[in-house]
Each structure stands twice: as structure tokens, then as C-alpha cells.
Amino acid sequence: MSRTEREARRRRHDREVAWILGVVVVTVVVAIGTPLLGIRSFSAADLVLGRAPWQATAPEGFVAQNPFVSDTVDGYLPMRAEFRRQLFAGHLPLWAADPSGGSPLGSVPDFGVLSPLNLPYWVMPLWYAPGIAKLLELAVAIGATFLFLRRIGLGRTAGMVGGLVYAFCGFQVVWTNWPQTHVGALIPALFWAVELAIDRRTLRAALPITLIAAVMLFEGFPSVTGYAVIAAAIYAAVRLVAEREPAAAARRRTGAFLAVAAVLAVGVAAIQLLPFLHRLGLIDLAYRQQTAGDHLPLHAILTLAFPDALGSPLRRSYWGAINYIELQSFIGASALVLIAVAAARGRELTVARGARTFLWAGAAVAAMLLFLGGPLLWLLQRLPLFDTNFIGRMRSVFGFLLAALAAIGMEAAGRRAEDRRRARIVWIAFGALVVLGAVWAWSLAARAHGSLLPGAAIALGAGGATLALVLLAPREVRVRRLLPWTVPVLIAFEALAFTLPFWPRIPLDEFYPSTPTHTYLERHLGHDRIASGGIAMSPGTTTYYGIRALTAHSFFAETWRDLVLAVDPHAFDRSPTLPILDPTGAVASSPILDRLAVRYFVSAPEPPVIGRTVPVTAPVGTVALSAGAALEATIPRGPLRAVVVWLQEPPAVAGPASLRVQILDAAGAPLTDGTRRLPADETAGTFAIAVPEADATNDPAAPGPLTARISLEAAAGSVRLGADATGDPAVQLIEADDDGLRLVRTDGALVYERLRALPRIRWASHAIVIADRAARIAALARPIPPDTVVLSAPGPAASGRGARLDIREDGDERIRIGVSAAGDGYVVVADALQDGWVATLDGAPAPLVDADHAGVAVFVPAGAHEIELRYEPPGWRRGVAVTVISLLILLFVAVAPGSRSRREPADRSAVPVTDDRS
């Protein structure tokens, strides 16, 4: 080949690379979309609009863009918002005081607060940060895959194609905005670092392993990190065994360097790992125990080619046996064709020794574990990590291995197969699998209600086009030159068809909008907390609004969990980390909630209003209520909470509509009123309209009965109500019972003030000891005098005399209380502070004892004193020391002389590739 020809070929290849890079960039930008411009938010926070109290202000017929990623909305984003709030206040946030009695925050890696990939959350507006964080994640996933594939010997074209396939594989798409995809993005970086260390064979060259693995640990999803580290360790072993050039001693030394780098990574992350390991020992993870049957169903393998093979949850047609997000394994039909090319022609490529063997064997073993289970999975589940983590999370590694094989196929696509018999067998097998998969998918189409057709058309179109190209390329120069211009576009098309419907992009005004209910609670709650029934207030989101709540989406201290279950035995039936309380009177008035300082109980307008039902008149006919008109009914005086009418048929109204009731006294003066929205799918039956309680409705000295004026607020239309014998609307009432509740708000949500709730920080002048756990919980479920604390173990006796408390600081990680006590007693704090918190009395250490089963108390003698409670995470100080030492070692190795590579590093770790054929 002449020099001119070589130059022309190089320029042509540079244009191809520039084109593919452009395809990658455009795919990334289009996939995220307008959130990059700040026009929308790359989050699913709009799903709160389907719940009380936001529902009252949501547009008619509102449906969340993606209601299947609620963890990101009620778990991760609120805690990141809390971390950001405290960080801006000037300190490293270790504890979040608002959710579920309090929870570790920056002291553990659960929320990825120390990961560089989460940096956008700390420096950018929270509504904007998710989109930029995803952009950063995609850049890391694509770039690191490219670097790894280049290092094992593939060209730039193949490297970019592999990065594109991996960045948009099923795992990386459906877990977006969870920490899982951040860990996943670092998997190829870990493999690149391992390959770099094997190539250069020095401890300094192994240091990237330390940094990458430490960031993976900081991301806070240990199962994906564990699977990745195990896979990388096996890869390193395979590569070291397969290497021929260095002596055995040199290979052992390289292996030792890799092990040291891994240990240093644990040391760097010790600042959070040690507190995390301590906390892990306090959490009951029995519900996560795995069996050999806990794997993906075999038909989930169809999602490799098209994601909606089992239907689409967005179209309400999904029928899979497990959660769509846990099952999705997409890499695309085009990528599968390239993998077939790798099987048929990839052996002719020169890549790093052992790398190809590992990729094929690793993908095969991962597929077997994921889709078949069997004895190997059973054996693995006897080991830590596998015993409490669903094997489906291994899709992260599986997707990376398949992407690397697809890249090998892209490299080999333009070559003729030297082993034609092998290639023939591969293509026959591939064709048989395609036919089998098509027949299988068609047989499932009825269960998916026809939603397979769009996805199948995309998969068959893109996959068929790719197949035609790669089959023709070895014989046709024009087609061979066309490959890098077309195949990346086909892969990008499949990726966008998958991601665009799934990734949420919401209007900015739907990002955690505030409501009058939130404003009311923020103004009146003080130092106490709320509880919510059903999914009202979307438990967990309260942390975003700075509202202290009984429950959240998190791991619970066992004693706190005990009391939540005592309030409602079915609270954890739906989820072990997101308790949902039944919005009933028995739950809302529980004495346990009094002890836990639950000042307000919030429920949706839809459940029955708490109270006793009082019949007034029965329906014997019907009466029409038109938009803008009103009807009246006479009702008796009483502690009114709701007026109930009968809808005789579904409402016939145009647009949003509500029923309003005004309660008027004998002179026609308004006493209270309430409004309830008529859902678009409302059917005939009773319909309760709650009203805030007003003392005037129950005033026995006031003259005459009351009047309930009922009106329809709608643009047009009418409703037909049940009518009594006089033609007035038939009604019944819901009145307050002696339940210690007072209904104070009804707009959007029902807010009950709990009149018997004890202050969260209070003085106890009496103490009783109940050492038995079951007996203690049972006692707390019954009324106990408010000046009495229940201790879990014997302590000093209380005098029975009172005290005055001055809450001087009620912070996130420190509480200071001034006490002026007439006698000995206990200061009780109804928070989950039994682990990791210490107390001082006038500056001297003081015992912090368990109180009311889930809270804490400090004994205080008579006189004037100051108590301080402070969060000191177990293992934190040791973790800081280990992290600092590890970083110093890292720095020393990085800058110390005499640690240069024992050989000049090649651009790739195997024989250099002579050109970048596609």
C-alpha cells in the first residue's frame, strides 16, 4: 500500500470516527433532552401529583410520566435535598433528623453523597441536577468502555460502539436516578484500570483501581459493586494466567499489586464503610434472603432484543412475574447481531490474551445464573453478598460483557471468516435462535395485549438491517465502508426508542410543588412530627419539605419498626422499607403515636372520614344539582367532620368539578366549609365532603339546627343526588368521637390534629421499668400518664416533681436542652437515637438510656442543668483515620520515585492492531 493510499485510508477512518462520535453525542443529548437546557427536570417527581394533597391541584386526568421509579422520588432525592441543605448550612451532614425518627446520612454510603458522580446535586439546583448527573454518568460509561476496549486491542470505531451499547443497556436505563447506574457506569472503568495495571505491572499503575473501586463503594449500592469486583478479579486472574511474556514471579507480583490496590480502596472508603458495617449489623435483612429459585424467568431473555417483550408498564400492559425494572436486560437486536459476528469471525482478531475467553465464558455464566439459576446459583447463595442480593442485579456486569462482545463483532464485521465451517454453524444457530425467539414472542403477544408489535418491529428492522450489512460486508467493499456509518445509527435508534418513553422529563412546576397542607404543617408542627395514612403525603418526600415524619422510605431502627407495627400490624406488608399506615381511627388515635410525638395525622380525602356516622335523612328519590347552583339540607348540631350525600349516578360534568358544602347557623352565618374534588371516574354511591371542625357547630347554647348548603363547582353539567321525602338532599353526618383528634384542614388532604400527642422533647417526673420487649410494647399501646416514661432497663428513680425545659438547639446532629428541675426526673427525646448518639450533662458524659422502647432519655437531678445529645457514628472516627492513612499511602505511591513502569506501556496490552477496520 502506497503512502498516498495510507493517508487516504487514514482520513477516511478519521471521518468515520468523527461520525460515530457525533452519533454518540447526539444520542446522549437527545436521550436526556430538554432537562439539559433547564426547560424540564430529569426526574419523576411529578408522580406526587397523583397523591394527596398534591392531587387537588393536579390537572384533570393527570398521569405521571413514569410512576414506576418512586424510590427515586420518595427516597433518594429527598435525602440528597437534605444533604444539600445541611451542606449549604456549613457542615458535613452525617444525620437526617426528619425521616422515621432520624437516619444516618453522610456517615453511610446509602445516598452516594461522597461520590464525584453526584457532585451536580451539591452545586446545581436540585431540579436541574439529575439531568447533569445522568450526562456525567453516560460520559463515564461510554468513555470508560471505549478506553477498556482500546486497551485490549480494539479500534476506535469498535470502542465507541461498545460504549454506546453499554451506556444504553437495560440495566443502565431502567435504574436511572438510582445509585445502581452510577456504579454500573464505573464497571468498565474498573476493568480498564485492571488492564492498565496488568500491562504496566507496577503498584503505581494499579492506583486507578483504588480510586475507581472507592468511588463505587461511596455510591452506596454494594451488590452491584460486589458483582463488579468479583468479575474484575476473575478477569485479572484469567489475564495473568494467559499472559506469556512475564515470568511467573512477575505475574504473581502484578497480582499482589492488584490486591493491594483493592485493599487500599476499602481503606479510602472506610470513612463510610465502618459506620455502614456497624449499622448493617442492626438491620434485619431476613426478607432479602435468596434461594436458587430467585432468578429472572427464562422468558425475560427476550428483553435482550426488545425491552417490551413482556409488555410495557407505561402502557399498563406489563405482565412479567417480577418488577419490570428488576427484569429488564435490553442491549438491542443490532448488538445481538454483532455478538453473533464476534462468535463467527472474532477469533481472527488479535486482542489481549485471555480477554476474549473471559468475555465469552463470563457472559455464558452470567446468563446461566440470571435466567436458569441451578446448582451454581445455589452454591453462590451460600456466600456473603449473594445470600441477600437478587442475582438480577448482575445484569450490570452481564450488559458490559455483552457490549464488549458486540464491540468485537463490530471490529470483525468487515473481515472474511477464515474458519468458514465455524461461521456457518454460528449463523445457522443464530438464525434458529431468531426464529425461536420470534415464535416465542408471538406466543406471548396475547398476554402483553398486543404491545409487542412496536418493539418487535423496531428490533426486527434494526437487527435485520444490521444482519444484512454484516453478511454482505466481507464480499462488498462499498457495504464494508458503509458499516461504521450505519450500524451505530441503528444501535442509537434502538437505544432512543427504549429510553425516550421511559426516562421522565417533567415540567419544572411539577418538581415537588408545595401545597397549602405543606405550608400549614411547616408553620404549626414545631419540634414534633406527622404521620400519614395510605400514600398521603407520599411518605419519604416529607424530608424534602423539611417536615419531620414518623415514616419514610428507608431502613428502620428495629425498635422504631416495632412501634410502627404495633400501631398497624400490616404497615410493612407492601414493602420492608416503606411502611404504609391504614388511615383508620384506630391507627390515628393510637397511644403509641402520642409517645412518638405525632402531632398531626394526614390522610387522603378518599378514605372514610374518621368518626362516627350519624344518620339524618335517607334517600327516597333524586334531585339534580347543576353547576353553579346550590341545594340545602337541615342538619342537627354536633361535632361535625363531614357531610355525606348520595350520588345516584356517575357525575355528568364538563372538566374539573367539585362538591362544596357550607355549614350555616340559624341566622345563615357560615361556620365552616369544605370542598372535595369529583374524580373523573367517580361512580354512584355515598360521597363524603369533609369540613374542618368548628366549635360553633357543637354549641348547645346556640339557637336552632344547622344548614348544609351543597353546591357543584364545575364549568357545566350536573349531578343527581339522593333526595329525602321533602325533595332536599338526603344526608348523613360524620361526627367526632372521643378519639383525641380534631380535623383542622380538608383542602387536598384531611389533617387531624392529635390532641393527646406528647411533646417530642419532654420531662418525665415518673418512670416505670418494663424489661420484657413484648410486655413493654403492649403497655405502650395502652394509655400511660403523660408524665411517665417507660424504661427498658432499671435506672435511677424519678421524684415525681416537675421541671421547665428550654430547647436551646434542636439541630440535625446536636440537641441542647436547658433544664430547671424541682426534683429528679428524665428528659425524654422521642427520636430513634439509641445507636450512635451520646449524651452529656453539664459537659460530663451521661448515660443515654432507652425510653418508650424506641426513644431515649437522660436522667437529670434536681436543679439547673444543660443536656446535650450528639451524633457520633460508631466507627466514624476510626474510619476517618483509616481513610486519611489510605490516602497518604496512595499519595506516597503516586509520587514516590522508583515506581515507574518496568516496560514502556503500549497503546494496548496485546499486539498492536495495525488498523481500525470496521
Side-chain angles (χ1 to χ4, degrees):
M1 184 183 295
S2 68
R3 180 176 180 181
T4 302
E5 290 174 325
R6 286 197 300 271
E7 282 295 316
R9 185 172 185 174
R10 184 186 61 79
R11 287 194 298 270
R12 184 174 66 250
H13 180 66
D14 288 344
R15 289 194 296 270
E16 292 170 354
V17 170
W19 165 256
I20 298 173
L21 179 61
V23 170
V24 170
V25 171
V26 169
T27 304
V28 168
V29 171
V30 171
I32 300 176
T34 52
L36 293 177
L37 302 176
I39 298 173
R40 291 191 166 229
S41 178
F42 193 73
S43 74
D46 63 329
L47 66 80
V48 300
L49 295 179
R51 305 172 181 179
W54 302 273
Q55 195 172 38
T57 59
E60 184 73 13
F62 169 82
V63 177
Q65 289 189 27
N66 189 337
F68 308 100
V69 293
S70 59
D71 292 11
T72 64
V73 177
D74 58 31
Y76 289 101
L77 266 174
M79 291 298 272
R80 287 171 178 169
E82 175 64 12
F83 184 89
R84 175 191 176 92
R85 180 187 66 79
Q86 294 190 44
L87 193 66
F88 278 30
H91 67 281
L92 178 64
L94 302 181
W95 180 265
D98 292 337
S100 57
S103 176
L105 183 53
S107 60
V108 294
D110 296 19
F111 305 101
V113 297
L114 297 186
S115 168
L117 293 181
N118 285 319
L119 184 62
Y121 288 98
W122 321 140
V123 300
M124 295 178 176
L126 198 59
W127 57 266
Y128 186 59
I132 302 303
K134 188 64 183 181
L135 179 65
L136 182 59
E137 173 200 300
L138 288 170
V140 170
I142 294 170
T145 304
F146 173 83
L147 291 174
F148 169 73
L149 294 172
R150 288 285 288 161
R151 183 153 286 281
I152 66 172
L154 299 184
R156 290 180 291 173
T157 295
M160 283 189 286
V161 166
L164 185 62
V165 171
Y166 178 62
F168 290 93
C169 72
F171 186 89
Q172 290 298 110
V173 169
V174 297
W175 285 108
T176 291
N177 288 341
W178 273 280
Q180 282 91 319
T181 54
H182 280 188
V183 179
L186 293 165
I187 290 174
L190 182 64
F191 275 76
W192 166 81
V194 167
E195 188 60 44
L196 178 69
I198 292 172
D199 180 35
R200 298 189 177 180
R201 303 200 301 274
T202 67
L203 182 56
R204 176 186 287 179
L207 294 185
I209 296 175
T210 298
L211 297 175
I212 293 165
V215 173
M216 295 175 84
L217 292 170
F218 282 138
E219 272 294 345
F221 204 83
S223 64
V224 178
T225 300
Y227 292 144
V229 169
I230 291 171
I234 296 173
Y235 174 77
V238 170
R239 285 281 291 112
L240 289 172
V241 169
E243 282 277 87
R244 296 178 183 175
E245 180 184 334
R251 282 179 281 171
R252 287 195 296 271
R253 185 169 56 249
T254 301
F257 291 156
L258 296 175
V260 169
V263 171
L264 270 178
V266 174
V268 170
I271 189 172
Q272 287 187 327
L273 283 184
L274 291 183
F276 173 75
L277 291 174
H278 172 84
R279 178 167 172 259
L280 202 60
L282 304 175
I283 298 173
D284 182 8
L285 297 177
Y287 72 93
R288 296 173 64 97
Q289 289 296 321
Q290 302 292 300
T291 69
D294 293 324
H295 58 81
L296 301 180
L298 183 57
H299 53 241
I301 203 167
L302 293 172
T303 64
L304 286 169
F306 53 102
D308 292 344
L310 307 181
S312 168
L314 300 178
R315 292 193 292 270
R316 307 298 192 273
S317 62
Y318 180 68
W319 57 269
I322 61 175
N323 188 299
Y324 178 89
I325 291 173
E326 292 282 10
L327 176 143
Q328 184 56 243
S329 305
F330 171 82
I331 64 162
S334 299
L336 290 175
V337 172
L338 293 179
I339 292 171
V341 176
R345 307 172 192 165
R347 295 181 67 181
E348 285 84 45
L349 296 179
T350 301
V351 297
R353 297 184 188 279
R356 183 168 41 231
T357 300
F358 170 82
L359 293 174
W360 281 112
V365 171
M368 183 182 67
L369 292 173
L370 284 168
F371 300 105
L372 298 176
L376 180 57
L377 179 58
W378 183 87
L379 286 173
L380 289 174
Q381 286 169 343
R382 310 279 75 78
L383 303 175
L385 178 67
F386 291 93
D387 59 340
T388 56
N389 284 290
F390 180 49
I391 193 64
R393 308 290 169 83
M394 191 181 277
R395 288 172 298 136
S396 53
V397 176
F398 184 52
F400 170 66
L401 299 178
L402 293 182
L405 290 173
I408 291 176
M410 187 67 190
E411 184 88 0
R415 299 171 180 257
R416 294 183 181 273
E418 295 181 9
D419 187 347
R420 296 188 178 182
R421 181 173 179 274
R422 172 189 175 88
R424 191 177 304 113
I425 293 173
V426 168
W427 289 119
I428 291 173
F430 182 74
L433 288 174
V434 170
V435 172
L436 177 63
V439 172
W440 195 5
W442 183 261
S443 70
L444 300 175
R447 297 183 65 178
H449 308 293
S451 67
L452 289 181
L453 297 179
I458 291 171
L460 291 173
T466 304
L467 181 61
L469 288 167
V470 299
L471 289 178
L472 291 172
R475 298 188 298 272
E476 297 287 341
V477 174
R478 292 182 180 179
V479 175
R480 183 159 58 249
R481 291 181 178 178
L482 194 61
L483 281 175
W485 297 87
T486 55
V487 172
V489 175
L490 293 170
I491 292 171
F493 176 72
E494 288 190 84
L496 291 175
F498 177 30
T499 57
L500 287 176
F502 191 85
W503 283 350
R505 303 161 192 83
I506 65 171
L508 300 185
D509 59 1
E510 294 179 0
F511 185 83
Y512 295 104
S514 189
T515 70
T517 299
H518 289 89
T519 302
Y520 178 87
L521 294 172
E522 290 165 1
R523 289 177 178 174
H524 293 85
L525 191 58
H527 298 282
D528 300 330
R529 60 174 47 90
I530 72 161
S532 57
I535 57 173
M537 300 296 293
S538 189
T541 64
T542 47
T543 302
Y544 177 88
Y545 295 93
I547 296 173
R548 199 183 304 265
L550 175 76
T551 59
H553 198 151
S554 64
F555 292 106
F556 283 70
E558 281 303 301
T559 52
W560 199 267
R561 177 188 174 91
D562 288 343
L563 293 190
V564 172
L565 283 170
V567 171
D568 182 354
H570 301 289
F572 289 93
D573 285 358
R574 299 187 192 181
S575 167
T577 56
L578 180 60
I580 302 296
L581 298 179
D582 197 6
T584 62
V587 170
S589 59
S590 169
I592 290 177
L593 297 186
D594 298 339
R595 295 264 145 185
L596 295 178
V598 175
R599 182 66 55 190
Y600 293 95
F601 188 87
V602 185
S603 69
E606 289 76 19
V609 179
I610 296 171
R612 67 175 183 270
T613 300
V614 178
V616 179
T617 54
V620 295
T622 64
V623 60
L625 175 59
S626 300
L631 297 172
E632 295 184 349
T634 301
I635 60 174
R637 288 187 173 273
L640 186 63
R641 284 184 180 165
V643 174
V644 182
V645 298
W646 278 266
L647 295 177
Q648 297 299 87
E649 57 188 45
V653 293
S658 301
L659 280 182
R660 183 185 183 196
V661 61
Q662 292 175 289
I663 306 302
L664 311 175
D665 65 12
L671 302 178
T672 185
D673 69 273
T675 302
R676 181 179 165 193
R677 193 168 182 173
L678 279 167
D681 57 353
E682 187 66 33
T683 58
T686 56
F687 191 82
I689 310 160
V691 296
E693 292 184 53
D695 292 336
T697 66
N698 196 31
D699 184 0
L706 304 176
T707 298
R709 178 178 293 166
I710 304 161
S711 56
L712 174 62
E713 297 180 342
S718 64
V719 295
R720 297 199 68 85
L721 305 180
D724 61 18
T726 67
D728 294 332
V731 298
Q732 63 184 19
L733 308 179
I734 298 176
E735 294 185 345
D737 208 346
D738 185 20
D739 52 15
L741 305 176
R742 181 180 179 86
L743 184 58
V744 294
R745 289 189 68 85
T746 63
D747 53 338
L750 306 182
V751 180
Y752 299 89
E753 184 178 6
R754 303 186 69 263
L755 305 177
R756 299 169 186 158
L758 302 179
R760 188 178 125 261
I761 301 173
R762 64 186 178 89
W763 174 259
S765 56
H766 296 85
I768 58 175
V769 178
I770 306 178
D772 180 75
R773 171 182 169 275
R776 184 167 59 249
I777 295 172
L780 290 168
R782 299 187 296 269
I784 295 174
D787 62 352
T788 300
V789 62
V790 177
L791 302 179
S792 302
S799 66
R801 304 188 68 182
R804 191 169 58 253
L805 301 185
D806 175 22
I807 301 176
R808 296 170 180 171
E809 181 179 355
D810 189 8
D812 297 293
E813 296 159 28
R814 187 170 72 163
I815 300 172
R816 290 191 307 118
I817 309 157
V819 184
S820 179
D824 299 349
Y826 288 87
V827 169
V828 181
V829 180
D831 285 349
L833 311 182
Q834 295 178 355
D835 181 65
W837 283 73
V838 297
T840 61
L841 177 65
D842 299 329
L848 189 63
V849 300
D850 295 352
D852 291 339
H853 187 70
V856 294
V858 178
F859 177 76
V860 180
H865 305 279
E866 181 175 272
I867 295 172
E868 182 177 308
L869 278 67
R870 189 173 62 255
Y871 181 52
E872 294 186 359
W876 172 259
R877 291 185 178 180
R878 291 192 302 274
V880 170
V882 172
T883 293
V884 169
I885 292 171
S886 299
L887 289 173
L888 290 174
I889 294 173
L890 197 68
L891 181 62
F892 174 78
V893 173
V895 302
S899 59
R900 293 185 179 276
S901 174
R902 298 177 182 273
R903 63 178 178 180
E904 286 300 314
D907 184 48
R908 305 167 183 86
S909 62
V911 178
V913 175
T914 55
D915 78 335
D916 281 309
R917 292 185 226 174
S918 300

